Amino acid sequence: MSYQFLQQYWWFLVSLLGALLVFLMFVQGANSCMRSLGWTKEGKRLVVNSTGRKWEFTFTTLVTFGGAFFASFPLFYSTSFGGAYWLWMIILFSFVLQAVSYEFQNKLGNLLGPRTFQFFLVLNGILGPLLLGGAVATFFEGSNFIIEKANLTDLGAPIISRWANASHGLDALLNPWVLVFGLAVFFLARTLGILYVMNNVDDKDIRSRGSVRIIGAAVPFLILFVAYLVHLLLKDGYAADPVTGIISMEPYKYLHNLLDMPVVLIFLLVGIVGVLWGIGITIFKKDCNSGIWPAGVGTVITVLCLLLCAGWNNTAYYPSNVDLQSSLTIANSCSSEFTLRTMAIVSLLIPFVLAYIIYAWHSIDKKKITKDEIAHGDAY
């Protein structure tokens, strides 16, 4: 395994974790439409208990995603998580509110009342996907940071990356295309959340409302996603010279990436078809509640291919809009060969971890959630 192979391998693993995170945000998506999907008090509790069995998966994947980025591409971690900290702090704070809300909304002595904590779940359901989607969009749209590796020799202030303004990440939301992608992820999470609840909850009222609500989530998602995909394929991209490492603007860079990597292009199309198939069979096929599976698999494949397109094929995956040569590539921001090689050996355990997750997921979802279980069982 060469150093270059290890760099590409770890970008694949980080991209896979990011893709799984986007899929698992169906928890946030379902919570964001809790009131319209659940409608009644019992219905809301059914939705909360459906997502409450999976929120740990989302939170754990978010932490693992950040940890993998830190270990394999530490310069990105220090630049983005350290510089754009207001953006990441809002995201993390919303996830903390989510965890607290699940645990305390129906506990004895809850002075705030269940509605307050349900509001926190809705807030996380909106902010989580929107801001995470916006953060991912900066992989293509760029951010305002400066890298000065020469500062390593300054013992007084050995800080090599800094943000170019005082907004510390919130400036990304001023880019309309960042908002378009963030809203696309939000409506995708909402669509997946409705599909999951319809599959997981055995309640005719919720499934009936879900078959209608999904149209209101899927249509905006498709419009926003297609608009951003067209924008991405037609925009100038950030190309990195494989010999000198110099960053330059290249017209149609991301379109060229897909054409240069036909396997990624094919899988991207397969993923998009999977998402459309899951949505379509739910809308047009009566009493179909299994759309979450083709849509979920399609989501993972699609997001994985987009992230591979952002980093592979000599592309700067975290461009700087202030100083083009400060842009981060897989080669100039990764850990040492020894670190990547050691972690590659540890990564061989990933299939066993995934197998356990699948087994645990199946055990949790083996029995559909009903009103009787909410009334008499251990429920949120």
Side-chain angles (χ1 to χ4, degrees), residues 363-377:
S363 299
I364 293 172
D365 280 0
K366 187 163 52 176
K367 184 179 179 182
K368 305 296 183 183
I369 299 176
T370 63
K371 291 181 179 179
D372 289 338
E373 181 180 351
I374 299 299
H376 303 100

Side-chain angles (χ1 to χ4, degrees), residues 309-369:
C309 186
W312 280 2
N313 199 38
N314 301 314
T315 308
Y317 69 85
Y318 198 50
S320 172
N321 294 327
V322 180
D323 177 21
L324 192 60
Q325 302 312 314
S326 292
S327 302
L328 301 185
T329 66
I330 293 175
N332 69 15
S333 64
C334 67
S335 295
S336 67
E337 182 176 0
F338 173 79
T339 301
L340 294 182
R341 189 178 298 277
T342 303
M343 292 194 305
I345 297 173
V346 177
S347 71
L348 297 177
L349 298 174
I350 291 177
F352 299 98
V353 176
L354 288 177
Y356 173 76
I357 291 174
I358 293 172
Y359 170 77
W361 187 298
H362 175 72
S363 299
I364 293 172
D365 280 0
K366 187 163 52 176
K367 184 179 179 182
K368 305 296 183 183
I369 299 176

Side-chain angles (χ1 to χ4, degrees), residues 190-210:
R190 202 173 173 96
T191 300
L192 294 176
I194 294 172
L195 291 174
Y196 177 76
V197 171
M198 290 177 64
N199 176 264
N200 185 240
V201 175
D202 185 9
D203 184 79
K204 290 183 179 180
D205 292 336
I206 285 183
R207 289 180 174 178
S208 176
R209 280 190 292 271

Side-chain angles (χ1 to χ4, degrees), residues 25-97:
M25 281 196 295
F26 69 78
V27 172
Q28 280 67 36
N31 288 341
S32 71
C33 56
M34 177 199 314
R35 300 181 187 279
S36 61
L37 191 59
W39 193 255
T40 64
K41 182 178 179 180
E42 283 185 330
K44 293 173 187 175
R45 291 198 68 188
L46 284 170
V47 174
V48 169
N49 278 271
S50 176
T51 59
R53 297 181 177 188
K54 295 295 185 297
W55 73 269
E56 293 97 336
F57 288 96
T58 310
F59 197 90
T60 302
T61 304
L62 175 63
V63 174
T64 306
F65 174 71
F69 240 135
F70 171 73
S72 53
F73 301 99
L75 188 53
F76 166 81
Y77 189 89
S78 64
T79 301
S80 181
F81 289 80
Y85 58 80
W86 279 122
L87 179 63
W88 289 108
M89 285 298 292
I90 294 173
I91 293 172
L92 292 176
F93 181 71
S94 74
F95 274 88
V96 171
L97 283 180

Side-chain angles (χ1 to χ4, degrees), residues 20 32 104 118 120 126 151 228 241 292 315 337 346-347 376:
L20 290 171
S32 71
F104 291 101
Q118 287 179 0
F120 289 157
I126 296 172
N151 285 353
Y228 190 82
D241 189 293
I292 180 61
T315 308
E337 182 176 0
V346 177
S347 71
H376 303 100

Side-chain angles (χ1 to χ4, degrees), residues 180-181 183-192 214-228 272 275-276 279 299 302:
V180 167
F181 192 83
L183 287 171
V185 173
F186 165 71
F187 282 109
L188 172 62
R190 202 173 173 96
T191 300
L192 294 176
I214 192 173
I215 298 176
V219 171
F221 158 67
L222 293 175
I223 294 174
L224 292 165
F225 177 74
V226 171
Y228 190 82
I272 293 174
V275 175
L276 293 176
I279 295 172
T299 296
T302 300

